Amino acid sequence: MSAIPKKNRNVAIFPISNLQVRHATRRWGAWLGVLALAWAPLEAATPSRLKNPGFEDGLSRWSLPAARLGEIGAVAATEEAARSGRRSLRLDTSIPRERGGPTTMLFQTIHGIEPGAIYYLTGWAKGGEGGRGSIRAAIKLEYYNAEGRNTTGVNGYQSLLANGEWTRVQAVARADVDTTHVKIYARNMERKAVVFFDDFEFSQPDVVILEPTRLTHLPGRESQVTLKVWTRDPLSAEARPEIIATHEEREQRLPAKVREIGERTYELSTTLPAIERGFYQLNVALGEERSPVVARTFETIAQRKPESLSDMGAILHNGKPFFPIGIYHPQNHTWYRLGATTNDVEGVVEDYRRLAEMGFNAVQGNATRNLDRLGRFLDEAHRHGLAVDVPLYEGGQVRRNLSNSLEKIHRFKDHPAVLNWKISDEPDLKPSVIDEVPEAYLAFKKADPGNPVEITLATDYALDGWSQFADIIQINRYPLPGGALTRVSEYTRLAVEQKQPWQNVSYVVQSGWGKEGTVPTRDELRSMIYLALIEGAKGIWYYTMYDPGFDLSQTPIWPHLKEINAEIAALSEPVMLGKHEPNATLDNPQLFSRAVEHEGRLYLLLTNPERSAQKARLSLPARWASTPVHTLEGEPAEIPAELVFAPVESRTLIFGPPRP
């Protein structure tokens, strides 16, 4: 790739190949303004736009977090590699550091940010020596308010090859309403590897595609597409934005129907002409200005709903409605706890038995590529009455496993223990496989129209786009330690709003892993489960049974799981099959509730996720106001004028005759 001058160059438009991940970011504490180093000192944050974007002036205008003081020497401006000019930034995670995690980073602060505006950050990264397989580089936009509190953070990731070519990495994010400044980061995310960065640019685009960046089309048919966009200035009545569709290097400018959906935010819709093969790359144009983020289409099929999902999103396992109460990493008890080296079926016999006794009816399967071994796992799970979420991403791979995955599907699609096929775990955080998921989804659907295909997602960015490539949308959001339990309800609500009626949403709740503060209390776990059920989840999974240094059965929550799973099982049919009653409401927005009518009874699920006591008045439709009330356990209950909830309390009230 030829070098280009650092000055007076335009931002090139490239297809987006990474996912911008929105998440709340942690605090770094005090910030390092100046470091006395052998090379140019790190300076305090600049009050103007991005300075020294190509590191020609060493590390001038850039800073290190105080938490990374031990990385002196791991961060340097170097002439070893440069995309343009003479220098670039070198981040080396192989150099020992006094403290901090594996990430090596550098940042710069930019002031004068417009609240509510969208900004675009782009840089170029190149893998150096070290690392195993791909090397992950990242850049980040991190917004702050006038009090110095970090409010939002968005990462852009890119997988690189060791000693490979320069590759663009980018991130797009809307500033919060109280944003005053932003910190932009360059980050090396790998252990014992080198990443170079060069040619950063920070801008406020005139128009940018927000979502989705991945859409579908049917071969041989016209396709209706809608893109959500943000514009720097409000669109006038005379504005004529266009969607630019490129197929096999032929560009078409298509008129777009415009609908305003927010401040400077619009939906642009058009019809794509039919294509028999290949894909469309999509951009948006306002005159000569184009979005720096582009979208693309992927081939799909007309009938996506599998036979094993009902019209309302309930899983049909072996022909019957099935609500999974599942758990991650159930194998191997001996492998995790006793240090055994076998990863065969002998290691799960004890755990499958224990989990069945605790009320679990599903497990995450083993990701082995060995078909005979997978068959033994399925047989053992079936012997204990457990359905299996079958992972097809051994080694984190998707396309490399495709032929092996199709062999598994052809051989085991009729096995009674198979619940679903899982393409990938959190592909939204794995840039190396992100564009391989649609291809695999289409192949799996053609190979097995009966069993559903699942992906697990960790972010809410472009969730509607990801739902095009899954039948079961399994989501996770782990609030502890320190986060609000309502993160569960927020993410579940968003997933349910953006799915098709027949798609299933299952939630992965936090049971803990090998990190202090991750194990919830009984009340916290019940509230998270209730929040997911109230917002429409039709499956509950726990993360996790085992993790290095962690054994769920040795935690305080373990003795409560049988009782909690029995509660989920008792609510599963009303949640899966019942009819939502929207007129049963509480007058306190801090409380969450959902009423469903099922078999002549009204089930009212209630939870207080707050750390303080709450009160509320209940409003019911007249037909239920005078019926008998009892608890989920069948005990008679009275409805006082005002319901009182203790901190983090959950309960179910049932109106109508008690269950026999």
Side-chain angles (χ1 to χ4, degrees), residues 312-332:
M312 297 307 294
I315 298 173
L316 304 175
H317 183 52
N318 295 324
K320 298 179 180 179
F322 183 84
F323 188 102
I325 306 171
I327 192 164
Y328 271 68
H329 301 171
Q331 71 276 356
N332 291 317

Side-chain angles (χ1 to χ4, degrees), residues 309-498:
L309 283 180
S310 75
D311 291 340
M312 297 307 294
I315 298 173
L316 304 175
H317 183 52
N318 295 324
K320 298 179 180 179
F322 183 84
F323 188 102
I325 306 171
I327 192 164
Y328 271 68
H329 301 171
Q331 71 276 356
N332 291 317
H333 176 74
T334 54
W335 189 82
Y336 280 107
R337 196 170 179 189
L338 304 178
T341 56
T342 177
N343 196 33
D344 215 329
V345 69
E346 292 82 1
V348 302
V349 173
E350 177 186 356
D351 285 322
Y352 282 5
R353 175 188 57 79
R354 291 199 302 165
L355 292 172
E357 291 173 352
M358 294 292 286
F360 289 95
N361 61 14
V363 293
Q364 184 199 43
N366 188 285
T368 176
R369 291 174 58 88
N370 186 304
L371 271 64
D372 291 335
R373 177 179 293 171
L374 175 59
R376 292 195 295 272
F377 275 105
L378 293 173
D379 291 343
E380 186 64 26
H382 183 59
R383 191 168 73 86
H384 291 280
L386 299 171
V388 180
D389 175 355
V390 182
L392 302 176
Y393 51 92
E394 191 274 336
Q397 300 299 318
V398 175
R399 183 174 292 152
R400 289 183 187 177
N401 290 343
L402 189 56
S403 61
N404 179 260
S405 298
L406 291 173
E407 289 182 40
K408 292 177 181 176
I409 291 174
H410 286 301
R411 180 165 169 178
F412 297 113
K413 63 182 178 181
D414 296 321
H415 195 289
V418 170
L419 181 65
N420 59 262
W421 311 110
K422 183 171 176 178
I423 299 178
S424 183
D425 187 75
E426 299 180 345
D428 43 341
L429 299 181
K430 297 179 175 67
S432 61
V433 302
I434 199 168
D435 285 330
E436 299 176 4
V437 170
E439 172 192 10
Y441 176 70
L442 181 61
F444 298 165
K445 297 294 292 182
K446 290 179 177 178
D448 181 9
N451 291 303
V453 176
E454 174 190 88
I455 57 173
T456 301
L457 301 173
T459 68
D460 54 11
Y461 182 86
L463 205 155
D464 58 339
W466 280 107
S467 68
Q468 302 297 316
F469 312 111
D471 306 324
I472 298 176
I473 305 163
Q474 190 186 75
I475 53 177
N476 58 42
R477 188 61 58 85
Y478 306 137
L480 302 175
L485 299 181
T486 51
R487 296 182 70 191
V488 173
S489 57
E490 292 165 1
Y491 197 21
T492 309
R493 186 184 313 120
L494 181 62
V496 170
E497 286 174 352
Q498 303 198 32

Side-chain angles (χ1 to χ4, degrees), residues 585-600:
T585 60
L586 301 177
D587 65 356
N588 183 345
Q590 302 300 310
L591 300 172
F592 289 74
S593 67
R594 183 179 185 87
V596 289
E597 182 180 350
H598 181 62
E599 294 184 344

Side-chain angles (χ1 to χ4, degrees), residues 59-79:
L59 298 183
S60 172
R61 306 291 185 175
W62 294 85
S63 303
L64 273 174
R68 303 293 174 178
L69 282 171
E71 294 175 3
I72 298 173
V75 180
T78 180
E79 296 184 6

Side-chain angles (χ1 to χ4, degrees), residues 486-526:
T486 51
R487 296 182 70 191
V488 173
S489 57
E490 292 165 1
Y491 197 21
T492 309
R493 186 184 313 120
L494 181 62
V496 170
E497 286 174 352
Q498 303 198 32
K499 77 179 185 70
Q500 297 296 316
W502 56 266
Q503 287 178 305
N504 174 275
V505 169
S506 292
Y507 200 92
V508 185
V509 297
Q510 178 177 347
S511 58
W513 53 88
K515 182 180 178 182
E516 185 177 356
T518 64
V519 179
T521 66
R522 170 187 176 274
D523 292 341
E524 288 170 337
L525 181 58
R526 288 184 68 238

Side-chain angles (χ1 to χ4, degrees), residues 147-191:
E147 289 72 41
R149 183 170 62 87
N150 169 215
T151 55
T152 300
V154 174
N155 286 308
Y157 295 109
Q158 183 62 51
S159 290
L160 310 168
L161 296 177
N163 300 311
E165 298 293 325
W166 287 98
T167 305
R168 177 184 286 268
V169 56
Q170 55 192 358
V172 179
R174 185 191 298 271
D176 295 298
V177 294
D178 59 348
T179 297
T180 60
H181 59 285
V182 64
K183 292 178 179 175
I184 67 168
Y185 286 84
R187 310 171 72 192
N188 179 350
M189 307 295 290
E190 297 300 321
R191 295 180 183 272

